[in-house]
Amino acid sequence: MFSAAVLNVSEIALGQNLLNNGSFEFGGPGNGFIVDGQGYQQLNQPYSGTTNPGDYAIHNNAFDLNTSFFYSIHDHTSGNGNMLLVDATNIGGNQAFWKAGNNGGGVCNLVIGQTYQLRYWLHSISSTSTNAATCANIQAVFNNIQSSNPISTSFIAPLPALGWAEYIVEFIPSNSCVNIALYDSNIGITGNDFAIDDIQVLPPASPLAIDYSIGEMNCSDSTSAFIALYAVGGTAPFSFQISNGTSVFNNTTGNFNSLAAGSYNAQIIDDLGNTVASNGIILQQGTYLEITPKDTSICPNSSITLIASGSPNNYNWSAIPVDPTLQFANNDTVSMGPGQTTTYTVSTNDLNVNLVYNGTFELGDQGFMSNYAPFYPNNPSGQQAAYGITNNASFWYNGFSPCVDHTYANGIGKMMVVDGATSGTNPFWEQNIQVEPNKNYNFHYFAQSLTTSNPGHVHVAFNGITQGIDTLSSTTCDWISYNYSWFSGSDSILKIQLTDLNFSSIGNDFAIDDLHLSTLYSCTNHTQVIISTENLDLGLNYPVNICKNSATVGVQLNPMYPLNGTFNVVPAGLNVNPINGTINPNNAGIGTYTIVYTTQVCNQIQYDSSTVTIRPLPTLLQLSGGAYNCSNQNFESVSVSANGGLNWSVYYTLNGQNQSLLNQNTLPLNLGNTPGNYILDSISDAYCTVAVIGTINLDTLEIPLIPQFVGDSIFCEDDLVGLITITNPNANGTITWYNDASLSTPFGTGIEFYPGNEVTTVYYATQTVNGCEGNAASITIQILPCGFVIPSAFTPDNDGQNDVWDIIGIDAKYSENEVQIFNRWGEMLYTSTKGDYSNSKWDGTFNNVLLPVGSYYYIINFSDDGSIKPINGTVSIIKKK
């Protein structure tokens, strides 16, 4: 969904799931699927704890079915929901344990020629599933398709310890309805027990988009705000990021908590590197429960007044130890005369904070996800599986009753109107919300029907667990409240999903408004009132170390006591303001000083002292190094010498990039020998930092680089050979060519040459700069027989023509040849008999199954010892037109 400002999205990467009940949360066979394979029989609760081949159940824990062999495995969707659990049958013949459709009729409303994906998750559940032979091997069968393409390299269920794994098959429909069945090709009775969950049929990915919802801070924590990012389209998995100008946060969930107020920028990156952003997400500063004054002192036999603010509700004061002078404890202002040091605490409760972002829809189409299509400003054709944000239902679609919103009920406020879907159990509204563990929450929403026939069936789920199904009223424009209670337990994030389970194409139209989630917020704050006596802690504090010539340094004192005393320093030599205690290090002598603060509290003289040390600034002595060492073929290290204390750090740039060398106790400081321009920025010792100036350039034109070649390296006998060129010549150097690895026989100079065309030969080249010759590079020029031909394609269609990949002349020329074929995932499909390709030519199959049309990667090895370099490339399987 989108508006002019933002696009709201769901977490499903490839769009809306076209299957009903692929997560098994809405019941067993007849609810989006059937089981009709021979030998399968459904188990129902209560379970006996034992299973036989062919037994299956819709349940949330595998262990309950078979307590002797099944592990305690939970579902993939939420960890608490249902899955299909199967003790696989030992009957052959491709027996289907799952078929799409309420009666097995498949999936409809597909676009012919479009590419769809079948996705599902598998988990082995038996302790006797110990290897591939004892794990389920799930295969898909399609009817009414042009072709199918397995994306996963294997369809064997993972070993139990590996958990859930996803499997993907692409298919292209030849009809608007496609039948889909899943069966287990392993009919062994050892192991071969599995769970399957989240079966999806997904249309092609839509462009990646982003939306967000926010949660405001609670009343006692200034870093408790929340941002949830949502992704749709693109290619999973996704990475999520938010930043506020000073900090960057990354995760793979999209949920960010413990945030302070401010402006945040967000972005989502999918697996292909596509990026979308949403900038300027504002988290407002919350209103907090505060006490004035905060932590203070009074003289003996005095009174004090405390004021609470920040809550619209009643306050409740308490004291530790108990103070009998505390009266009117439910007021915002209280006055007491404590006889001892006392901590006063004020608390307040708030039941009215709505944690649902934009639950009234007055912000328009933002802050929630929907798997339905958005229509603005109206839906003139009555498109199903669609929604809009409007203030009058008949404005959005003229077949709806003229119902208005619930919030204001005046035809001006906004609501969400929904034209229900005919397939796919996908939420029409969803949001992630930050919650506190072990608290009770209340959720309610209002709904009204917009047509009289077939009212919607709204399924409410919290974190994937069904809370209830609400059948809406058949009376139009009749707002009804639906309410739920929920205990958070260990959860800190609540995902609320609303799904319509009515798939009727007639009627099934409704509106929702005023979604509200709340809990009892208890906010507290406290202040300490100290009774001043002798030997008070005045809290005098300065930095222990102060660098000479640094900025002025202020004093820290206990805020309970007024700043009305005087400051003195011993010995002389440090400039301290006697009234406010500010230190000015200018012209101060290097050394250690004691500052004494004297004041009067409750008619008694009080003292406190603090010691500071004025430290000298480090200085740069020398920046050196960087000469090129020919024998070692590298630059000498750039080094920095300085004086001062230990624990040195130097900050600099290399080719414009900030660099640092930290916490070194040995001089000189070596910055390395990477070529480039070094510019010093500052140098530090254990106490002080000073800016310094120094530059050294390690010029890459001083380096004799290893030559790099460009040009063809394989030619036919007696044909003209191509030009070989050095691509990285040094402007200050020369290139020398050799015929031998010992570099004893140069035969020419320059960046180009034409090799001979008689026999395969290895050539060597070096660069020399300022008399320094670098390491050599080699290139092998292969001279092949003209009769040696590698076809680029063939047509394995059994018509007697071009049915195999015929590499002409390979056996005659290369007695040790070996040909290997690979698919695009690097899986080896074919290996020839060494030296005998002509009698074992590749026929385009793998495991006796003809491979689909496409390009395949080949490697041809000519010799066992590598003396003749291998050739690689691609060969295509094509169909005749």
Side-chain angles (χ1 to χ4, degrees), residues 289-613:
L289 183 61
E290 297 181 348
I291 301 176
T292 304
K294 177 69 171 174
D295 293 340
T296 189
S297 67
I298 61 174
C299 295
N301 302 315
S302 299
S303 62
I304 186 170
T305 297
L306 301 177
I307 303 173
S309 62
S311 173
N313 301 305
N314 291 332
Y315 299 95
N316 183 26
W317 291 90
S318 61
I320 299 177
V322 174
D323 182 0
T325 69
L326 173 60
Q327 299 181 6
F328 307 106
N330 292 324
N331 291 346
D332 58 349
T333 303
V334 291
S335 298
M336 297 79 63
Q340 57 188 318
T341 296
T342 304
T343 298
Y344 296 91
T345 299
V346 64
S347 63
T348 184
N349 296 324
D350 192 346
L351 281 170
N352 299 313
V353 175
N354 184 11
L355 301 178
V356 176
Y357 180 68
N358 192 25
T360 64
F361 300 102
E362 298 307 313
L363 297 178
D365 186 22
Q366 75 174 55
F368 61 93
M369 300 182 294
S370 179
N371 281 280
Y372 285 24
F375 279 82
Y376 304 101
N378 52 31
N379 182 14
S381 63
Q383 175 71 39
Q384 294 176 319
Y387 78 92
I389 308 300
T390 185
N391 46 35
N392 190 308
S394 65
F395 294 168
W396 189 72
Y397 177 60
N398 59 16
F400 292 171
S401 297
C403 307
V404 298
D405 84 309
H406 177 266
T407 310
Y408 302 109
N410 58 5
I412 298 176
K414 298 175 182 178
M415 59 185 169
M416 181 182 189
V417 296
V418 179
D419 194 323
T422 58
S423 66
T425 44
N426 299 285
F428 63 82
W429 184 94
E430 179 178 330
Q431 189 175 115
N432 292 345
I433 302 172
Q434 179 178 239
V435 295
E436 297 179 56
N438 300 311
K439 294 195 73 173
N440 291 305
Y441 286 81
N442 294 304
F443 172 71
H444 70 258
Y445 70 97
F446 287 85
Q448 64 179 352
S449 292
L450 306 177
T451 53
T452 57
S453 57
N454 298 313
H457 301 161
V458 178
H459 175 269
V460 181
F462 292 170
N463 288 342
I465 303 300
T466 298
Q467 304 299 307
I469 299 175
D470 301 320
T471 300
L472 305 187
S473 171
S474 60
T475 303
T476 62
C477 304
D478 180 20
W479 285 110
I480 296 177
S481 176
Y482 299 92
N483 302 274
Y484 294 92
S485 297
W486 177 72
F487 180 68
S488 60
S490 61
D491 292 331
S492 59
I493 300 294
L494 171 61
K495 175 181 289 186
I496 303 178
Q497 295 173 305
L498 302 182
T499 305
D500 181 18
L501 300 186
N502 187 345
F503 301 119
S504 174
S505 61
I506 300 174
N508 191 22
D509 310 304
F510 56 92
I512 63 169
D513 200 6
D514 291 335
L515 289 76
H516 193 281
L517 178 74
S518 62
T519 187
L520 176 63
Y521 272 139
S522 297
C523 302
T524 61
N525 204 342
H526 63 269
T527 186
Q528 187 179 47
V529 178
I530 293 179
I531 306 301
S532 298
T533 58
E534 295 181 357
N535 302 318
L536 299 180
D537 179 11
L538 300 179
L540 182 69
N541 186 46
Y542 287 97
V544 175
N545 297 285
I546 301 176
C547 294
K548 184 176 174 62
N549 299 328
S550 64
T552 57
V553 178
V555 65
Q556 290 184 6
L557 285 169
N558 190 329
M560 294 184 179
Y561 304 108
L563 180 63
N564 59 4
T566 58
F567 297 84
N568 295 282
V569 61
V570 179
L574 181 62
N575 185 357
V576 179
N577 187 305
I579 304 301
N580 61 26
T582 299
I583 296 175
N584 186 349
N586 274 325
N587 302 317
I590 304 301
T592 299
Y593 302 86
T594 299
I595 301 170
V596 179
Y597 175 60
T598 305
T599 189
Q600 189 177 70
V601 180
C602 298
N603 298 318
Q604 294 182 355
I605 302 298
Q606 303 286 342
Y607 301 91
D608 204 349
S609 64
S610 181
T611 299
V612 300
T613 299

Side-chain angles (χ1 to χ4, degrees), residues 21 28 79 187:
N21 197 24
I187 58 174

Side-chain angles (χ1 to χ4, degrees), residues 21 96 151 213 232 269 308 310 367 443 461 463 545 563 672 680 727 776 864 867:
N21 197 24
I151 302 302
S213 61
V232 71
I269 304 174
F443 172 71
N463 288 342
N545 297 285
L563 180 63
L680 294 185
T727 62
D864 289 342
S867 59

